[in-house]
Amino acid sequence: MTAIRIDGKAFAAKLRERVGESALEFAQAAGRKPGLAVVLIGDDPASQIYVGSKGKATLAANMESFTHRLPTETSQGVLLALVEQLNNDDAVDGILVQLPLPGHLDEQSIIASISPDKDVDGFHVINAGRLSVGQSGFVPCTPLGCMMLLTDRLGDLSGLEAVVVGRSNIVGKPMAQLLLDANATVTIAHSRTKDLASVVKRADIVVAAVGRPEMIGKDWLKGGATIIDVGINRLPPEPGKEKGKLVGDVAFDEASEVAAAITPVPGGVGPMTIAVLLRNTLVAAHRNAGLDVPEHL
Ligand code: GUN
C-alpha cells in the first residue's frame, strides 16, 4: 500500500481563505475588523520568524494585527501590564504571548492573566477546563488543526482506536480530549509507556507529538492506519550542507508503505496551526461582538 499524503498546506490555505471572507462579513456587521495581538519578548530567531508570519497572515485574512516586541529583560510587571491593556482594548479580540518566554518570566501566571475570552491559543486553565467538560471555549490551535485533518479524511471517528503519543498541555492532552469528544477510544502514550510499539500498533489513528526524529517506523503501525505527525525535528546537516533536513516523529517513507494516510513534514500539520489561530481569532471576534459564530468556521 502507498499511503495518501494528507495535504495540510492546501487544507490550511482553504481555511485561511474562508476565514478571510468571513472576516470581511464580520467587519460589515460589527463596524470594525477582527484584531489579533501578538506579544514577543526577546530576540529568539525562531520566535521572530513565527511572529512575523503570524502578523502577515493576520493582515492577509482581513484582520488587524498588533505586534508588541519587547526586550529580553522585560519584567513580569511590565508584561502583565501590557496583557491587561490588551484585555481592555476593544480592538483586540485575540491575544497570543509567544512561548517560550525568557527564563525570568513566569509562563503560567502570564497565561493566567490573559482574558479567557481572548485566549485564542487555548492555553488558559479556564479554556483547558472548558475543553475537558465539553463547554465551548478556545481549543489549542495545533490539536484543533489535527482534528480538522482527521475528520476531513475519515469522517466519523466513532469507535476508532486512537493513540496519542505525547502528553503536553499544548498538544497531547487537548488532542486526546478532542478525540474522546469525537467518540474515539483514546490512549495517551508517553516516554514511560511500556512497550510503546505494541500500543501504537493497536491504533487506527496515530497522533505523534513527541519531538523525536523518525521514532515511529513501519513495524509500529497497523496496516491502514491514519497518521498525524506533529513533530518538527531538524536532523544534523549532511556533509557540505548548511542545514539538516526537517523530519517528523514518524519515518515518513516506510510508514507510507503500511498506512492508509499520513501527514508529511513539512507541509502537514505545521501550516494548520496559523490557519486555526486566525479561525480562533475570528470566533473570538464574533463572541466579543455578540454575533453568532458562522458554522463553516
Ligand atoms: N510557540 C510555538 N508555538 C506556539 C503557539 O502555538 N502559541 C504560542 N503562544 N507560542 C508558541
Side-chain angles (χ1 to χ4, degrees), residues 33-241:
K33 291 181 177 180
L36 173 64
V38 175
V39 179
L40 172 61
I41 313 292
D43 45 19
D44 176 68
S47 294
Q48 297 272 5
I49 294 172
Y50 290 141
V51 166
S53 344
K54 282 170 189 167
K56 281 190 204 138
T58 307
L59 295 174
N62 305 314
M63 300 186 193
E64 294 282 6
S65 164
F66 309 97
T67 303
H68 297 262
R69 294 171 197 269
L70 282 77
T72 308
E73 58 277 11
T74 300
S75 69
Q76 182 88 0
V78 166
L79 180 52
L80 286 170
L82 173 59
V83 171
E84 192 53 27
Q85 178 198 319
L86 298 171
N87 282 340
N88 293 320
D89 184 342
D90 289 340
V92 171
D93 294 294
I95 302 170
L96 180 149
V97 177
Q98 184 69 27
L99 304 179
L101 290 172
H104 66 283
L105 295 170
D106 174 14
E107 225 156 76
Q108 284 308 323
S109 66
I110 299 295
I111 292 170
S113 74
I114 298 171
S115 162
D117 298 334
K118 296 191 176 187
D119 169 40
V120 286
D121 260 330
F123 292 171
H124 195 291
V125 287
I126 294 271
N127 283 316
R130 286 171 174 159
L131 177 61
S132 80
V133 298
Q135 290 177 7
S136 72
F138 291 104
V139 177
C141 302
T142 301
L144 186 52
C146 294
M147 203 59 195
M148 289 178 181
L149 295 177
L150 277 171
T151 49
D152 180 62
R153 182 79 239 129
L154 296 172
D156 184 9
L157 308 186
S158 287
L160 295 180
E161 284 275 351
V163 174
V164 178
V165 192
R167 54 176 157 179
S168 70
N169 291 334
I170 294 179
V171 181
K173 287 184 210 168
M175 188 73 228
Q177 296 280 359
L178 289 168
L179 288 161
L180 191 58
D181 283 349
N183 303 312
T185 301
V186 184
T187 303
I188 304 182
H190 47 79
S191 53
R192 304 282 176 89
T193 297
K194 280 190 196 149
D195 197 2
L196 183 56
S198 69
V199 173
V200 173
K201 199 150 185 140
R202 294 204 299 260
D204 303 305
I205 294 169
V206 179
V207 180
V210 274
R212 286 170 157 260
E214 301 179 316
M215 179 181 78
I216 298 178
K218 76 172 173 190
D219 298 347
W220 291 33
L221 298 169
K222 173 157 124 182
T226 298
I227 299 167
I228 303 291
D229 191 351
V230 184
I232 301 179
N233 312 291
R234 200 174 281 285
L235 294 178
E238 283 167 29
K241 296 253 170 85

